Amino acid sequence: MNFETAVFYFFAAILLFAGLRVITARNPVHAALFLVLAFFTAAGLWLMLEAEFLAITLVLVYVGAVMVLFLFVVMMLDINLDKLREGFWDYLPLAGIVATLMVLEMVVVLGGKQFGLSAVPAPIAHAANYSNTKELGRLLYTDYVYPFELAAVILLVAIVAAIALTMRRRKHTKYQDPAQQVKIKRADRIRMVSMASEKAVSTEQISQPEK
Amino acid sequence: MNFALTDLMPLLPEIFLLAAVSFILIFDLFLSDEHRYITYILSLSALLGCGWLTFSGATGETIYAMHGMFVSDMLADVLKLVVYFSVAVTMVYSREYIRVRGMFQGEFFVLMLFATLGMMVMISASHFLTLYMGLELLSLSLYALVALQRDSAVAAEAAMKYFVLGALASGMLLYGMSMLYGATGTLEIAKIAAVLQQGLGSNTVLVFGLVFVVAGLAFKLGVAPFHMWIPDVYQGAPTAVTLFIGTASKIAALGFVLRILAQGLQSLSPDWQSMLVIMAVLSMAVGNITAIAQTNFKRMLAYSTISHMGFLLLGLLAADINGYTSAMFYMISYVFMGLGSFGMILLLSRKGFEADKLDDLKGLNQRSPWFAFMLLLIMFSLAGIPPTIGFYAKLSVLQAVIHAGYTWLAVVAVIFSLIGAFYYLRVVKLMYFDKPHDMTPIAPQGDMRVLMSANGLGMLALGILPQPLMALCAYAIGKSL
């Protein structure tokens, strides 16, 4: 076993362990943190496959942004763990059967015969100065520019749809309009009423209730 | 590498439409509600512009652009023109309907145009990646359109079902595509066809991927056993959106199926033919028999769509030029019928009233003899009664399927369409022989009146003279496949 294989098994073992802990950890915060660990080790595996860009993106985007958001949400929500775990053992056999079936199917198709080294040649290892990021960028903006632009349009549709579906002006909500508040004039708030001056009344008359 | 202008010329309709939608999206923000009709006019002009660009760019040659991701051929041009036409008609038909329901907003038109762009991308895709991108662009716009009527619980339910099932189907399609990629080593449709022709690629993986791809396609077309979403979505969506889903997007689905099965996987046709046979029989059975039990007109038309898509599969499974031509002819004529039938619901609806029950059609002849006659023509066409276009569509599909050696299938199809004729003719009976329970006058706007009349009479005109349309389909298929 050479060093590279040893590193792979090391990362793979941590990844599997972290993945298992994500679904078995009692505390949701711990589960989220184990997911972070899983992402980190997966990034390590990607680095070994010479996919630096994907590895860095995984750490930056998933660990840096998505998981932090997850943690926030998990911490803010009041999750009742016992309720979530209800029926775990009841569903386990069925889930197990489905999972086993899926694994078997994938083994049949993805086994060594169809996608093994005999069918697909091993990729050529590149030199150390080979930039994976540069290659991806070049492909994305030349060969794949059309789907890339289409993806942008799809995002635009997502924005339009999200706003169209959620933005509504409720009729009965009370809200303040700062512009209106600033524009206010004295005349809008105070009304000067000229009243006839009243005659002075003696204190006795006030204190005695009328009959 | 650098972009030559010639590389972008074939994409001109798409580029124009994207620019137009972006413009409308911004411009609409500055319009007040009483000037909203400008958005409507701009949207129609955008479609008109696209139509002109596509028409003037149609040379009949097959041009690949964008590194083999985009193809402009006769098939794409013809299908695109039909899409523009049906989207424009949809807009005219739905204008009054969405106006009285408070949906006459910029988003409605913008989402519709985005969906149109997605259809165009799908129709002229020559790469699995662009096919998928176009499909998602179309689907996402449609999900939003279905949910646009926010206060309606039915519409929200329909949108949710559509979204979840649509995402599932997209997943299956992608999984199948990834398998095909694994087996052939490319995503470009022409190259896949070349690899398959040489007999390369592992057969197990290919067939495995094919099953998933066909399941995904069947979902998008809405054929049994992947049809569950159709009745709920058709019934739940605002009728204007149902009209859109039921017509224009079907054309895109046909383009999608032709690109994948006919152009890419033609060599695997023995494998997918048997799948299509099962789906065709199931669709015709489920669609025609279940439609009989419906009391809701929209739901009945939804089941009728399922049976029609089953019929369309008959043409596809012949897997030759003749079969594809008849399938294309069938789809185009179905779109005309769909526009007419759903358009009629829009025409009969008014503020606070949805004419989507079969009972609402009772005595239509006394209320408006002309539109009752139009609906009669459309129903005859859907049932496939001569001399309407529906008859020729069915005839050509049956000819193709008999030619391919499936005589028993043609017999089954005829039996099921006889069963189907019952519920179309029931509509006619309701209109002509029952007493109306609601005498509100029917007074559609001028343009809608003209268009609906043209739509109904078109059934007859195309039925008497189907040859030009048939020749166009044959030319497009022959040039492109």
Side-chain angles (χ1 to χ4, degrees):
Chain A
M1 197 192 322
N2 59 4
F3 179 67
E4 213 180 311
T5 326
V7 173
F8 169 75
Y9 279 118
F10 176 69
F11 276 137
I14 297 181
L15 180 59
L16 283 179
F17 167 74
L20 203 65
R21 288 297 287 150
V22 172
I23 51 169
T24 53
R26 282 205 156 271
N27 190 331
V29 177
H30 289 180
L33 287 174
F34 272 114
L35 195 55
V36 171
L37 180 63
F39 280 146
F40 256 116
T41 35
L45 287 179
W46 256 335
L47 269 184
M48 293 182 62
L49 289 170
E50 298 180 19
E52 312 94 46
F53 181 74
L54 282 178
I56 295 165
T57 317
L58 187 68
V59 172
L60 281 182
V61 176
Y62 277 86
V63 177
V66 176
M67 284 319 294
V68 171
L69 204 68
F70 256 55
L71 274 177
F72 264 114
V73 173
V74 165
M75 284 177 191
M76 279 182 195
L77 292 179
D78 184 22
I79 300 168
N80 189 348
L81 279 177
D82 295 327
K83 234 183 190 160
L84 274 181
R85 287 182 179 277
E86 244 171 45
F88 177 78
W89 294 107
D90 296 343
Y91 291 120
L92 190 65
L94 187 66
I97 291 170
V98 172
T100 326
L101 270 179
M102 274 163 69
V103 169
L104 283 179
E105 278 173 3
M106 287 176 89
V107 166
V108 169
V109 178
L110 303 175
K113 215 174 96 195
Q114 266 90 23
F115 290 117
L117 278 178
S118 56
V120 186
I124 318 138
H126 291 287
N129 62 355
Y130 176 82
S131 171
N132 179 274
T133 315
K134 199 171 152 190
E135 277 305 300
L136 269 179
R138 194 188 62 77
L139 272 181
L140 205 55
Y141 291 102
T142 54
D143 289 8
Y144 289 90
V145 70
Y146 182 50
F148 181 76
E149 296 293 334
L150 286 175
V153 179
I154 290 177
L155 288 179
L156 182 59
V157 169
I159 298 172
V160 173
I163 294 175
L165 292 182
T166 55
M167 205 186 83
R168 62 168 92 197
R169 196 143 289 191
R170 286 199 178 83
K171 273 177 193 147
H172 305 295
T173 44
K174 298 192 168 79
Y175 63 96
Q176 294 180 326
D177 186 350
Q180 296 253 308
Q181 288 179 322
V182 171
K183 270 192 336 201
I184 200 80
K185 291 201 181 70
R186 192 193 60 176
D188 300 334
R189 289 275 166 91
I190 302 171
R191 189 161 55 98
M192 302 299 277
V193 186
S194 55
M195 294 175 75
S197 53
E198 289 175 32
K199 280 182 187 169
V201 238
S202 69
T203 47
E204 286 166 11
Q205 272 176 313
I206 292 172
S207 58
Q208 279 176 7
E210 283 177 39
K211 283 165 192 171
Chain B
M1 78 138 263
N2 42 16
F3 283 109
L5 194 60
T6 47
D7 206 31
L8 290 177
M9 281 310 273
L11 277 93
L12 211 54
E14 279 82 0
I15 295 172
F16 171 76
L17 186 60
L18 180 58
V21 188
S22 308
F23 173 74
I24 292 171
L25 185 62
I26 301 290
F27 187 74
D28 179 68
L29 291 176
F30 298 100
L31 287 177
S32 61
D33 271 342
E34 56 264 33
H35 291 114
R36 197 67 70 198
Y37 66 90
I38 297 177
T39 310
Y40 164 77
I41 292 169
L42 281 177
S43 309
L44 281 181
S45 332
L47 288 172
L48 200 67
C50 280
W52 184 75
L53 285 173
T54 306
F55 187 74
S56 58
T59 52
E61 287 168 48
T62 303
I63 307 163
Y64 287 92
M66 290 286 174
H67 300 267
M69 299 222 170
F70 179 93
V71 62
S72 164
D73 54 11
M74 207 54 208
L75 175 67
D77 291 335
V78 172
L79 287 183
K80 273 184 205 170
L81 286 173
V82 180
V83 164
Y84 305 146
F85 173 76
S86 71
V87 175
V89 173
T90 305
M91 281 184 183
V92 176
Y93 279 173
S94 19
R95 187 190 58 213
E96 199 53 28
Y97 179 90
I98 58 173
R99 201 181 57 76
V100 297
R101 278 163 186 74
M103 285 162 66
F104 198 73
Q105 301 153 337
E107 294 87 47
F108 184 84
F109 296 103
V110 165
L111 284 173
M112 231 164 176
L113 291 179
F114 270 129
T116 311
L117 183 64
M119 292 176 206
M120 293 160 71
V121 170
M122 277 165 80
I123 288 170
S124 38
S126 61
H127 194 279
F128 277 171
L129 202 54
T130 29
L131 265 182
Y132 180 69
M133 286 301 207
L135 177 67
E136 283 306 288
L137 185 55
L138 167 65
S139 309
L140 286 174
S141 314
L142 287 183
Y143 304 147
L145 276 172
V146 173
L148 209 55
Q149 205 174 22
R150 280 175 310 206
D151 302 325
S152 157
V154 200
E157 187 194 326
M160 199 63 210
K161 275 184 185 157
Y162 195 18
F163 177 70
V164 172
L165 289 175
L168 188 72
S170 293
M172 287 204 277
L173 198 65
L174 272 186
Y175 191 51
M177 284 176 177
S178 72
M179 283 294 149
L180 292 178
Y181 178 64
T184 58
T186 175
L187 284 171
E188 220 176 301
I189 290 172
K191 283 186 187 160
I192 288 176
V195 170
L196 291 179
Q197 222 147 35
Q198 291 162 13
L200 302 174
S202 147
N203 205 43
T204 322
V205 181
L206 276 177
V207 175
F208 190 77
L210 180 71
V211 172
F212 279 94
V213 167
V214 170
L217 292 178
F219 177 88
K220 298 293 172 192
L221 264 182
V223 292
F226 305 99
H227 64 284
M228 285 77 147
W229 61 279
I230 293 230
D232 289 333
V233 172
Y234 274 38
Q235 190 187 359
T239 310
V241 180
T242 309
L243 173 64
F244 188 57
I245 297 176
T247 56
S249 76
K250 293 281 179 211
I251 292 281
L254 176 74
F256 194 59
V257 172
L258 283 178
R259 295 274 178 220
I260 291 192
L261 292 187
Q263 278 194 325
L265 306 175
Q266 179 68 33
S267 313
L268 293 179
S269 59
D271 291 308
W272 52 257
Q273 264 174 329
S274 47
M275 284 189 250
L276 294 198
V277 169
I278 297 170
M279 293 196 298
V281 174
L282 273 180
S283 307
M284 287 187 291
V286 168
N288 281 322
I289 293 171
T290 324
I292 294 174
Q294 303 306 318
T295 54
N296 185 301
F297 192 35
K298 266 161 95 178
R299 215 173 164 83
M300 188 200 100
L301 286 175
Y303 281 107
S304 132
T305 305
I306 296 171
S307 73
H308 278 283
M309 290 306 119
F311 241 97
L312 178 97
L313 287 187
L314 295 183
L316 289 174
L317 67 83
D320 54 11
I321 296 289
N322 196 4
Y324 297 141
T325 307
S326 64
M328 187 169 162
F329 182 81
Y330 197 94
M331 189 55 111
I332 293 176
S333 48
Y334 175 73
V335 164
F336 287 140
M337 298 180 234
L339 282 173
S341 50
F342 287 109
M344 196 56 89
I345 303 179
L346 294 173
L347 189 143
L348 298 177
S349 300
R350 54 177 186 272
K351 193 177 172 89
F353 173 71
E354 189 85 28
D356 63 350
K357 305 268 183 314
L358 278 175
D359 286 349
D360 297 330
L361 296 170
K362 273 186 183 168
L364 186 63
N365 185 40
Q366 292 175 36
R367 293 168 65 198
S368 168
W370 178 248
F371 288 117
F373 179 59
M374 291 301 121
L375 192 55
L376 169 103
L377 287 178
I378 293 161
M379 285 298 134
F380 274 14
S381 186
L382 281 168
I385 297 170
T388 52
I389 187 175
F391 170 71
Y392 284 97
K394 281 198 163 64
L395 187 69
S396 65
V397 166
L398 289 176
Q399 267 173 350
V401 84
I402 289 172
H403 190 70
Y406 290 95
T407 315
W408 67 271
L409 201 54
V411 174
V412 171
V414 170
I415 292 172
F416 277 123
S417 63
L418 278 178
I419 297 174
F422 165 74
Y423 60 87
Y424 297 122
L425 294 180
R426 186 175 56 187
V427 172
V428 175
K429 178 227 163 210
L430 286 175
M431 290 191 302
Y432 280 88
F433 301 107
D434 283 13
K435 282 205 163 52
H437 54 64
D438 166 27
M439 280 306 282
T440 323
I442 299 161
Q445 309 247 320
D447 51 353
M448 181 152 188
R449 190 184 285 268
V450 171
L451 212 53
M452 181 53 85
S453 308
N455 198 328
L457 293 176
M459 303 281 117
L460 207 56
L462 282 171
I464 295 167
L465 288 170
Q467 220 44 49
L469 184 60
M470 195 54 133
L472 183 68
C473 292
Y475 177 68
I477 295 279
K479 272 274 187 189
S480 312
L481 294 181

